[in-house]
Amino acid sequence: MATKEQVIQDLDRVISLIKTDRKDLSAETKKQMVMETLDYFDNYVSPGWLKYRKSVSSDSEAGAVLEWDDEGAYIYGLGGEKFIDCLGGFGIYTCGHRNPEIMEVVRAQLDHQALHSQELLDPLRGYLAKAMADITPGELQQCFFTNGGAEAVEMALKLARIATGGRWYISTVGAFHGKSMGAISMGGKASYRVPYTPMVQQVQHVQYGCAEDIRKAIRNLQIVGEKVAAVILEPIQGEAGVIIPPEGYLAEVREICDETGVALIFDEIQTGMGRTGTMWRCEAEGVCPDIMTFGKAFGGGILPITGIICKPSMWTQDLIDNPWLLGSPTFGGNPLCCAAAIATIQYMLKHDIPGVCKTKGEILKAGLQSLADKYPNVIKEVRGTGLMLAVEFHSCEIGYETSKGLFGRRVMTAGTLVNAQTIRFEPTAVISEQDIADVIERMDLALADTVAAMDL
């Protein structure tokens, strides 16, 4: 434990760094920051984190890139490295980095209030809930705001049990819904689940994209006297590698849930807010769930805010009589985050961000497909829709080599399922067509290097 004086002295220096423009930092200061970051991550964050990140295997200072600035479609390293962001924070930056229209609203809100008292009524929560009801499909109306995606999923799972009286959940193999206890119980990848078993026990996993498997699972549970609370699905599986189900799948699952009295939860945390070419992916099939989770881009890439929205029928008398029953997150729906979300919705509607994602996604996908055609021994498949795309390679090793080549050429990407066989491309909607062309050109060079290095 350090002395109070030492802590104050250390933090004075850190705050001075925060207040200093990157271009005004000396080379010596930047080098010190890199070395301290590597040291502090190893000793105070997680020793494994540095091995997990490509950002510590580069030609930058001490082999590490510290992100320090961002704007529009770009992320800047402390050393001035300029990356075209094709990762988008796994879907956070649909509106771009530090979007000026959203930032202006957030600054205005910060000037008069950041958090709320927890006792008086905070008006922005109501305005945001009304806006969500206005832009979501069907009868979705009641909102509950949270801080992270996994927390939103937890609320959806709890709500399904309260509303239906059921206890079982049907999820899918390959699913990803977060890493809190309930959310990871729904997950469909063993490596995420095994360290924590036993988990929530009343979960049955079925094949994604096969509606009949869901019908059989519900029917068999009900026959033996078990009551099913909900089916939970990603309209497109993200972490599994951007897996799009067969056309009509979501609609058929909706019919099955209606027939069996089971709630339907769509996890739109990554697919929603315009990324896939419609404001919500479920709109592509004209399907409305009973409960929908949202997040990622919802805070405009400025602040963390997530939540759920549900049909009024799901908000039972128990929840009306006991408003705290579902949860009472201290920071959920706080004024600053609500201001960011309100500004984000306005920006997306004014600038037709879903349409922009659709158009630019078609351009980027065509470019990626041209590379797949040129390098058939390297790339297995290009898939996805809007600006939620993925390139699958013939092996993890090939994908990792290519992703390193992209990183070295200042294109930010990442794999899926903690693995590089499939690399996702989720750039900002403000990415220019020239940037897209540059990404394809740089990937072409990276692929050529991969072919040479691996003798493909």
Side-chain angles (χ1 to χ4, degrees):
M1 185 173 180
T3 65
K4 180 175 74 172
E5 291 74 16
Q6 183 61 55
V7 174
I8 292 172
Q9 182 180 337
D10 288 347
L11 297 184
D12 279 345
R13 185 173 67 88
V14 173
I15 290 171
S16 74
L17 294 174
I18 293 170
K19 292 180 177 180
T20 303
D21 188 276
R22 168 175 51 87
K23 295 174 184 176
D24 295 329
L25 294 169
S26 69
E28 183 180 351
T29 298
K30 291 177 181 178
K31 183 174 182 178
Q32 181 182 3
M33 290 172 66
V34 170
M35 301 313 296
E36 287 174 341
T37 299
L38 294 173
D39 179 22
Y40 296 165
F41 262 76
D42 253 345
N43 288 290
Y44 304 106
V45 181
S46 168
W49 201 250
L50 299 181
K51 295 178 182 178
Y52 177 63
R53 292 296 181 201
K54 292 192 296 295
S55 54
V56 293
S57 59
S58 76
D59 58 0
S60 297
E61 181 72 50
V65 178
L66 308 190
E67 57 181 288
W68 196 249
D69 304 286
D70 63 348
E71 183 178 24
Y74 312 112
I75 299 172
Y76 296 90
L78 186 64
E81 306 92 340
K82 181 182 178 181
F83 291 88
I84 301 175
D85 183 10
C86 281
L87 173 58
F90 304 108
I92 296 170
Y93 294 111
T94 304
C95 294
H97 293 263
R98 293 193 306 118
N99 182 295
E101 294 184 38
I102 300 170
M103 288 281 285
E104 180 183 12
V105 176
V106 171
R107 286 194 180 102
Q109 178 61 34
L110 186 58
D111 280 344
H112 65 84
Q113 188 186 34
L115 301 179
H116 51 297
S117 69
Q118 311 291 325
E119 178 60 25
L120 302 178
L121 294 178
D122 43 308
L124 293 192
R125 192 183 319 211
Y127 288 128
L128 179 56
K130 168 62 164 56
M132 282 300 294
D134 288 343
I135 67 167
T136 49
E139 305 167 40
L140 295 176
Q141 181 174 327
Q142 247 71 38
C143 284
F144 187 97
F145 298 116
T146 48
N147 305 282
E151 185 183 11
V153 169
E154 295 287 347
M155 298 304 139
L157 298 174
K158 290 165 66 178
L159 178 59
R161 281 190 169 182
I162 292 171
T164 67
R167 289 295 176 263
W168 280 80
Y169 302 99
I170 310 299
S171 187
T172 55
V173 174
F176 183 81
H177 298 288
K179 294 178 183 174
S180 57
M181 204 64 173
I184 206 168
S185 298
M186 305 299 129
K189 183 173 171 62
S191 60
Y192 292 154
R193 293 165 46 87
V194 169
Y196 305 105
T197 53
M199 310 182 77
V200 175
Q201 293 295 287
Q202 296 96 333
V203 184
Q204 187 164 332
H205 291 82
V206 300
Q207 180 183 342
Y208 184 71
C210 180
E212 186 58 29
D213 279 6
I214 292 175
R215 178 180 278 109
K216 288 178 181 178
I218 295 173
R219 181 189 301 130
N220 289 342
L221 285 166
Q222 291 178 338
I223 285 173
V224 298
E226 301 287 355
K227 191 166 184 183
V228 181
V231 172
I232 181 168
L233 294 174
E234 299 161 89
I236 297 174
Q237 285 192 331
E239 185 65 18
V242 188
I243 308 300
I244 300 178
E247 186 175 351
Y249 173 67
L250 301 182
E252 188 173 356
V253 173
R254 174 73 275 179
E255 291 176 6
I256 292 167
C257 289
D258 289 340
E259 292 167 4
T260 56
V262 170
L264 176 58
I265 302 170
F266 281 159
D267 183 344
E268 290 255 19
I269 289 170
Q270 187 170 175
T271 55
M273 295 302 289
R275 178 151 292 276
T276 60
T278 50
M279 186 62 84
W280 309 99
R281 177 58 187 174
C282 63
E283 292 180 282
E285 286 200 21
V287 179
C288 178
D290 299 296
I291 307 169
M292 186 170 73
T293 64
F294 50 85
K296 296 289 188 189
F298 187 58
I302 307 296
L303 288 168
I305 179 169
T306 63
I308 64 172
I309 187 167
C310 68
K311 293 179 177 178
S313 58
M314 301 298 290
W315 212 262
T316 63
Q317 194 63 42
D318 277 347
L319 291 173
I320 295 171
D321 294 340
N322 306 287
W324 44 263
L325 186 60
L326 188 62
S328 53
T330 301
F331 303 110
N334 69 72
L336 197 61
C337 288
C338 284
I342 288 168
T344 298
I345 292 170
Q346 184 202 45
Y347 180 85
M348 287 192 165
L349 295 177
K350 283 173 59 179
H351 298 278
D352 186 24
I353 293 304
V356 171
C357 287
K358 182 177 186 298
T359 300
K360 291 184 178 177
E362 289 170 351
I363 296 169
L364 177 57
K365 188 175 183 181
L368 294 172
Q369 185 59 54
S370 72
L371 295 177
D373 295 339
K374 183 176 179 179
Y375 297 96
N377 294 333
V378 179
I379 296 176
K380 183 178 180 181
E381 184 183 12
V382 174
R383 55 179 177 264
T385 186
L387 287 176
M388 187 175 178
L389 303 173
V391 174
E392 183 176 350
F393 298 89
H394 286 286
S395 73
C396 179
E397 293 73 21
I398 293 173
Y400 187 69
E401 190 69 25
T402 304
S403 69
K404 284 197 302 181
L406 282 168
F407 188 87
R409 291 175 173 85
R410 305 301 186 229
V411 176
M412 184 77 71
T413 59
T416 60
L417 291 176
V418 196
N419 157 336
Q421 184 163 354
T422 299
I423 293 177
R424 70 187 88 200
F425 286 79
E426 297 188 38
T428 68
V430 301
I431 189 172
S432 68
E433 291 189 23
Q434 181 58 57
D435 282 335
I436 292 174
D438 289 345
V439 167
I440 298 304
E441 181 182 354
R442 294 178 197 183
M443 187 168 178
D444 193 354
L445 295 171
L447 288 165
D449 284 353
T450 297
V451 169
M454 301 187 72
D455 195 25
L456 297 172

